[in-house]
Amino acid sequence: MSDHVYRLSEIVGSSQTSVDDAIRTAIRKAAQTVRHIEWFETKEIRGQVVDGDVGYFQVRLAVGFRVEE
């Protein structure tokens, strides 16, 4: 196994359904334009309150992707 170099980007995913869905939405969208995504770290979870209930879940992620050689 060779050594790798990774780059980090921060992204924010949102969902009306759940934190899990917000994460998956963010990763899927990022994977459309960023190659070699290999891991993520949840940095912050927050949400929007609408009429006394949760309107949106928002998750800030650090996404690690391998730098091509």
Side-chain angles (χ1 to χ4, degrees), residues 30-48:
Q32 291 176 1
T33 58
V34 177
R35 295 183 296 190
H36 308 299
I37 295 175
E38 294 191 4
W39 55 270
F40 72 89
E41 177 182 0
T42 303
K43 295 293 206 174
E44 181 178 30
I45 299 172
R46 62 179 178 260
Q48 178 186 28

Side-chain angles (χ1 to χ4, degrees), residues 1 4 8 10 16-17 28 30 51 55 60 68:
M1 180 175 180
H4 297 290
L8 291 174
E10 283 197 351
Q16 290 180 303
T17 308
R28 287 183 187 125
D51 296 327
R60 182 170 57 103
E68 293 181 335

Side-chain angles (χ1 to χ4, degrees), residues 6-60:
Y6 294 90
R7 182 171 197 143
L8 291 174
S9 285
E10 283 197 351
I11 59 176
V12 176
S14 65
S15 169
Q16 290 180 303
T17 308
S18 67
V19 169
D20 181 69
D21 193 50
I23 292 169
R24 291 177 187 278
T25 298
I27 296 296
R28 287 183 187 125
K29 188 66 174 177
Q32 291 176 1
T33 58
V34 177
R35 295 183 296 190
H36 308 299
I37 295 175
E38 294 191 4
W39 55 270
F40 72 89
E41 177 182 0
T42 303
K43 295 293 206 174
E44 181 178 30
I45 299 172
R46 62 179 178 260
Q48 178 186 28
V49 177
V50 177
D51 296 327
D53 199 2
V54 176
Y56 280 92
F57 298 91
Q58 297 174 328
V59 182
R60 182 170 57 103

